[in-house]
C-alpha cells in the first residue's frame, strides 16, 4: 500500500491510500476477451436501435423492407452461403486452421461479415460459432418442416443486422485519424449537430461522409478484399462506380439514386425493386422482317435490334 | 455479367464469394453506355424433297410474334431469384408468296 499525505489549510491531513491490485489472474481458457459480446443476443443488444423507432418510424419501416435488416439471413440464400464458405472453403483449405466448425473464429467469417455484419469484430469467437450453429438449426428445421423452429432460428439470425447504429454510428466516420472515432451515445447524420432527444443517444453530430458514396462503398465492393488473410469478393459495384461511372462523367451518389430519386429512402433496393429496375436502364427494340436471298433460295427472316442504355452508376449486373 | 476468377488465378470461374477474387471477363452493361445486340431469326420452314429431287420449302406462317424479355439473373441462371426487368412484344410480317 502506498500512502501520501497532503497537508491542507487548518492543519488537516488528507490521507490518500491506494493498494496495488493483485496481479491479474490469467483468464480461463476459452473465455472471451474482455469487452467482447459473448452471444448473438449480447451483440444484438449492443446494437439495439429500438429507441430510434419512436421518432423515426418511417425510416424504420423502410429499413425493415431492405436487405440491411437481414444481412446474415438474406432470402435464406445468404445464410446458406455462410455455411458453404465453411464447408467448401475453410474446412477444405489446408492452412485455415479449421478442422471442424468449432474451430471457426470471428476472423474466419470476416470474408462475409466484414460487410454482412461488421460489428462482429466486437464479438468473441463463440458468436461466430453460434451464428453457424443457428444456420444449421434453421436448415435442419426447414428440412424437417418444423415451422416454429425454422422461424425461431431465422429470427435469431435476423436479430443481427445493419441497422441505424451501423451506418449512423459505427461506420459513419471512415477517416478516424482525420475526424476521430465514432463516439458512444452519438448518432451521426448529414448536417445536424447538438442535442438529440434520446437518453441512449443524447448527441447528434455531423458525419463528413453521410451523403457521400464512400459511406456505401465501405461494403458495396471495390473487388477482392485484399486485406484479409484469404481474400473474398462479393460486390463490385463501388469499384465500377469509381472506375467506370465517374470517369465517364457520372456525377450522382449512391444515396441520390438509391434513396432520394427512387423515393425508397432507407429501403435501399437493387435489382428486385421495380423502381430501381425501371431507373436502371432504357430498352429500345426495333424489329422487322425481310426475305434473305442465298443464290436462288429465298428465306424469310426477322431481324431484331435491342439497345440497352445503362443509366445506373455501376455495371449491370453487379457481382 | 462480371465473371469472377477463382482465387485470383488461372482461367476458372469462382462461384462462392469465398473463392472469388478478380474477374475473368465482364459482359455486364457498362454504366452510361448503350449496348446494342442484333438477332437474326429464320421463319419456321418445312423442307421436303419432290420427285425431281428438288428441295421444296413450305412456310407455315408469314408472321412472327416476337417476345423480347430482359431478365436480371443474379446468379447467372434462370432460377427463382431471376427477375424479369423488361418485356416487349413485336409482330413482324413478310410476303411468303412465291417462296
Amino acid at each position: 500500500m502506498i500512502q501520501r499525505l497532503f497537508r491542507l489549510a487548518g492543519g488537516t491531513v488528507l490521507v490518500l491510500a491506494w493498494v496495488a491490485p493483485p496481479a491479474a489472474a490469467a483468464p480461463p481458457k476459452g473465455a472471451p476477451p474482455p469487452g467482447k459480446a459473448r452471444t448473438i443476443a449480447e451483440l444484438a443488444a449492443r446494437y439495439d436501435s429500438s429507441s430510434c423507432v419512436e421518432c423515426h418510424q418511417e425510416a424504420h419501416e423502410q429499413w425493415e423492407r431492405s436487405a440491411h435488416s437481414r444481412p446474415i439471413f438474406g432470402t435464406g440464400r445468404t445464410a446458406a452461403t455462410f455455411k458453404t464458405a465453411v464447408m467448401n472453403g475453410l474446412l477444405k483449405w489446408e492452412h485455415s486452421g479449421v478442422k471442424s466448425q468449432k474451430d471457426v473464429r470471428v476472423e474466419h467469417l470476416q470474408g462475409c461479415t466484414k460487410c454482412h455484419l461488421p460489428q462482429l469484430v466486437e464479438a468473441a469467437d463463440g458468436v461466430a460459432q453460434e451464428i453457424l450453429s443457428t444456420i444449421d438449426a434453421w436448415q435442419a428445421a426447414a428440412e424437417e418442416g418444423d415451422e416454429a423452429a425454422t422461424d425461431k432460428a431465422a429470427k435469431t439470425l435476423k436479430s443481427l443486422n445493419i441497422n441505424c447504429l451501423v451506418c449512423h454510428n459505427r461506420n459513419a466516420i471512415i477517416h478516424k485519424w482525420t475526424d476521430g472515432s465514432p463516439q458512444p451515445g452519438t448518432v451521426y447524420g448529414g448536417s445536424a449537430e447538438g442535442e438529440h432527444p434520446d437518453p441512449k443517444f443524447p448527441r447528434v453530430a455531423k458525419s463528413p461522409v453521410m451523403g457521400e458514396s464512400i459511406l456505401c462503398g465501405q461494403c458495396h465492393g471495390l473487388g477482392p478484399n485484399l486485406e484479409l488473410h484469404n481474400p473474398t469478393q462479393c460486390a463490385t459495384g463501388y469499384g465500377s462506380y469509381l472506375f467506370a461511372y465517374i470517369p465517364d462523367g457520372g456525377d450522382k451518389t449512391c444515396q441520390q439514386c438509391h434513396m432520394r430519386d427512387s423515393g425508397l429512402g432507407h429501403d435501399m433496393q437493387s435489382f428486385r425493386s421495380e423502381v430501381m429496375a425501371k431507373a436502371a436502364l432504357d430498352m429500345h427494340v426495333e424489329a422487322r422482317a425481310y426475305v434473305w436471298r442465298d443464290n436462288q433460295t429465298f428465306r424469310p427472316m426477322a431481324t431484331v435490334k435491342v439497345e440497352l442504355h445503362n443509366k445506373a452508376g455501376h455495371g449491370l449486373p453487379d457481382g | 455479367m462480371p465473371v469472377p476468377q477463382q482465387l485470383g488465378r488461372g482461367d476458372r470461374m469462382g462461384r462462392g464469394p469465398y473463392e472469388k477474387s478478380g474477374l475473368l471477363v465482364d459482359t455486364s452493361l457498362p454504366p452510361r453506355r448503350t449496348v446494342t445486340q442484333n438477332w437474326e431469326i429464320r421463319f419456321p420452314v418445312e423442307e421436303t424433297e419432290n420427285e425431281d429431287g428438288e428441295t421444296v420449302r413450305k412456310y407455315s406462317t408469314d408472321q412472327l410474334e416476337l417476345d423480347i424479355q430482359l431478365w436480371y439473373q443474379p446468379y447467372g441462371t434462370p432460377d427463382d431469384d431471376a427477375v424479369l426487368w423488361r418485356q416487349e412484344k413485336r409482330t413482324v410480317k413478310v410476303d411468303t408468296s412465291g417462296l
Side-chain angles (χ1 to χ4, degrees):
Chain A
M1 189 171 79
I2 301 170
Q3 284 188 337
R4 286 202 177 164
L5 304 180
F6 295 86
R7 295 195 180 279
L8 303 176
T12 53
V13 175
L14 176 66
V15 179
L16 285 181
W18 61 94
V19 178
K29 197 176 177 185
K36 297 267 186 180
R38 293 168 299 176
T39 62
I40 287 178
E42 278 190 21
L43 185 58
R46 205 175 271 204
Y47 276 81
D48 175 24
S49 62
S50 56
S51 65
C52 307
V53 180
E54 187 181 338
C55 296
H56 302 283
Q57 181 81 31
E58 187 183 12
H60 176 74
E61 287 172 0
Q62 290 169 343
W63 169 83
E64 275 188 318
R65 293 192 289 272
S66 77
H68 284 153
S69 71
R70 48 186 190 283
I72 299 282
F73 188 77
T75 58
R77 190 156 181 157
T78 307
T81 303
F82 269 79
K83 281 295 297 183
T84 316
V86 175
M87 304 305 290
N88 295 351
L90 292 167
L91 283 168
K92 290 189 174 171
W93 293 329
E94 187 181 352
H95 306 288
S96 71
V98 176
K99 301 298 176 198
S100 80
Q101 199 161 288
K102 289 178 181 171
D103 297 326
V104 173
R105 303 190 302 270
V106 166
E107 177 190 30
H108 290 116
L109 293 189
Q110 277 300 289
C112 303
T113 55
K114 174 196 166 188
C115 292
H116 283 262
L117 195 68
Q119 63 267 42
L120 186 66
V121 295
E122 298 163 37
D125 292 329
V127 179
Q129 292 150 23
E130 190 186 352
I131 289 171
L132 295 174
S133 61
T134 307
I135 295 171
D136 286 340
W138 168 71
Q139 287 181 321
E143 280 174 22
E144 290 165 12
D146 185 341
E147 206 170 304
T150 306
D151 290 348
K152 185 183 172 194
K155 188 178 176 187
T156 302
L157 294 170
K158 289 174 187 174
S159 72
L160 299 170
N161 46 49
I162 309 293
N163 65 17
C164 315
L165 300 181
V166 175
C167 297
H168 290 280
N169 180 278
R170 188 189 189 284
N171 287 14
I173 295 179
I174 297 171
H175 299 87
K176 298 176 181 65
W177 289 354
T178 308
D179 304 313
S181 295
Q183 295 301 299
T186 303
V187 287
Y188 293 87
S191 56
E193 290 182 291
E195 292 183 358
H196 181 244
D198 181 341
K200 278 178 72 179
F201 306 100
R203 291 177 300 280
V204 62
K206 183 182 174 184
S207 159
V209 294
M210 191 53 62
E212 305 287 345
S213 292
I214 196 172
L215 183 82
C216 311
Q218 291 179 88
C219 285
H220 288 275
L222 280 170
N225 297 301
L226 296 172
E227 76 279 17
L228 301 175
H229 283 308
N230 223 66
T232 56
Q233 180 175 301
C234 203
T236 54
Y238 187 52
S240 181
Y241 172 84
L242 288 182
F243 306 123
Y245 175 73
I246 294 293
D248 203 50
D251 60 357
K252 292 185 179 178
T253 62
C254 308
Q255 293 90 331
Q256 187 170 343
C257 293
H258 286 267
M259 297 181 77
R260 292 193 288 278
D261 293 352
S262 68
L264 293 171
H266 285 77
D267 178 18
M268 298 120 182
Q269 292 288 339
S270 62
F271 69 92
R272 287 189 178 86
S273 157
E274 204 173 310
V275 175
M276 295 313 300
K278 190 175 178 185
L281 59 76
D282 287 331
M283 181 168 98
H284 179 68
V285 176
E286 289 175 18
R288 64 191 175 91
Y290 67 99
V291 179
W292 165 266
R293 181 178 179 183
D294 184 8
N295 290 330
Q296 298 305 310
T297 306
F298 293 87
R299 295 181 188 279
M301 301 279 284
T303 181
V304 183
K305 178 180 167 187
V306 178
E307 281 182 359
L308 298 171
H309 180 72
N310 180 359
K311 298 189 290 180
H314 47 77
L316 291 173
D318 166 37
Chain B
M1 61 180 278
V3 180
Q5 187 180 29
Q6 188 179 49
L7 298 173
R9 66 198 73 172
D11 59 4
R12 192 161 292 189
M13 175 181 170
R15 193 64 186 178
Y18 52 91
E19 65 170 32
K20 289 159 58 177
S21 288
L23 297 175
L24 289 170
V25 294
D26 188 355
T27 58
S28 60
L29 305 174
R32 293 170 56 86
R33 298 295 175 96
T34 301
V35 172
T36 305
Q37 284 193 304
N38 291 289
W39 282 270
E40 300 290 325
I41 304 164
R42 286 185 178 185
F43 276 59
V45 61
E46 187 185 329
E47 292 188 340
T48 55
E49 203 169 277
N50 65 15
E51 292 169 350
D52 300 326
E54 296 168 333
T55 300
V56 177
R57 295 179 182 82
K58 185 180 174 187
Y59 293 95
S60 56
T61 181
D62 62 355
Q63 184 171 294
L64 286 185
E65 305 288 336
L66 302 169
D67 187 3
I68 300 104
Q69 299 181 359
L70 176 68
W71 285 81
Y72 193 106
Q73 298 177 346
Y75 303 104
T77 51
D79 57 16
D80 292 344
D81 289 292
V83 180
L84 179 62
W85 265 21
R86 298 284 192 282
Q87 181 170 26
E88 292 198 24
K89 293 178 188 284
R90 295 284 190 280
T91 302
V92 293
K93 196 170 181 178
V94 74
D95 181 4
T96 57
S97 59
L99 297 182

